[in-house]
């Protein structure tokens, strides 16, 4: 029996489009002189970040994706989910660390909880 497909949270795709436009906009500058070629690395790095980073949520846990790898956090290590002061979603882990969930906003927390198969506990009692 296979696990249901994870719910994926990614940066807005307009970021990827903007990076492509910036790459083509920087081509005339970068090809004018050989030492200006590294200018093209900035839009390429932004495009790679927009394409690769994000958070995947399933019934086994959270998978935090970055440009150079990913990190899985099982639900047994998550003590609490909530918003941070900047409106992003964060997970408080059982070891006391707080991890910001890439591409997940505070408004997306109900979808994260629904994808986990968990129930909301203690939220109404704490307030």
């Amino acid at each position: 029996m296979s696990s249901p497909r994870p719910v994926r949270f990614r940066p807005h795709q307009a970021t990827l489009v903007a990076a492509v436009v910036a790459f083509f906009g920087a081509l005339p500058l970068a090809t004018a002189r050989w030492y200006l070629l590294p200018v093209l690395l900035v839009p390429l790095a932004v495009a790679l970040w927009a394409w690769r980073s994000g958070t995947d949520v399933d019934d086994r846990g959270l998978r935090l994706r970055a440009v150079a790898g990913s990190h899985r956090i099982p639900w047994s290590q998550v003590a609490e989910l909530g918003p941070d002061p900047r409106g992003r979603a964060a997970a408080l882990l059982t070891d006391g660390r707080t991890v910001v969930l890439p591409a997940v906003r505070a408004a997306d927390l109900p979808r994260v909880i629904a994808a986990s198969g968990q129930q909301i506990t203690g939220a109404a009692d704490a307030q």
Side-chain angles (χ1 to χ4, degrees), residues 48-103:
L48 181 62
W49 170 81
W51 173 66
R52 176 84 173 103
S53 68
T55 302
D56 298 337
V57 183
D58 60 18
D59 58 351
R60 294 178 297 166
L62 301 165
R63 182 175 182 193
L64 311 178
R65 296 169 43 108
V67 172
S70 65
H71 179 69
R72 178 162 281 285
I73 301 172
W75 287 118
S76 62
Q77 292 181 4
V78 177
E80 184 178 325
L81 292 171
D84 74 354
R86 295 179 60 190
R88 302 173 300 181
L92 176 64
L93 304 182
T94 54
D95 63 3
R97 291 183 298 142
T98 300
V99 179
V100 174
L101 306 180

Side-chain angles (χ1 to χ4, degrees), residues 2-126:
S2 65
S3 173
R5 294 180 58 91
V7 176
R8 300 183 192 289
F9 296 92
R10 298 290 181 265
H12 199 280
Q13 292 303 302
T15 308
L16 183 59
V17 172
V20 170
V21 169
F23 177 81
F24 286 112
L27 270 176
L29 174 67
T31 57
R33 300 279 186 253
W34 67 269
Y35 55 83
L36 294 174
L37 275 175
V39 168
L40 293 177
L41 295 177
V42 174
L44 285 176
V46 171
L48 181 62
W49 170 81
W51 173 66
R52 176 84 173 103
S53 68
T55 302
D56 298 337
V57 183
D58 60 18
D59 58 351
R60 294 178 297 166
L62 301 165
R63 182 175 182 193
L64 311 178
R65 296 169 43 108
V67 172
S70 65
H71 179 69
R72 178 162 281 285
I73 301 172
W75 287 118
S76 62
Q77 292 181 4
V78 177
E80 184 178 325
L81 292 171
D84 74 354
R86 295 179 60 190
R88 302 173 300 181
L92 176 64
L93 304 182
T94 54
D95 63 3
R97 291 183 298 142
T98 300
V99 179
V100 174
L101 306 180
V104 181
R105 297 169 300 156
D108 295 326
L109 284 172
R111 287 181 51 209
V112 171
I113 295 168
S116 72
Q118 306 290 320
Q119 297 294 322
I120 299 175
T121 60
D125 298 333

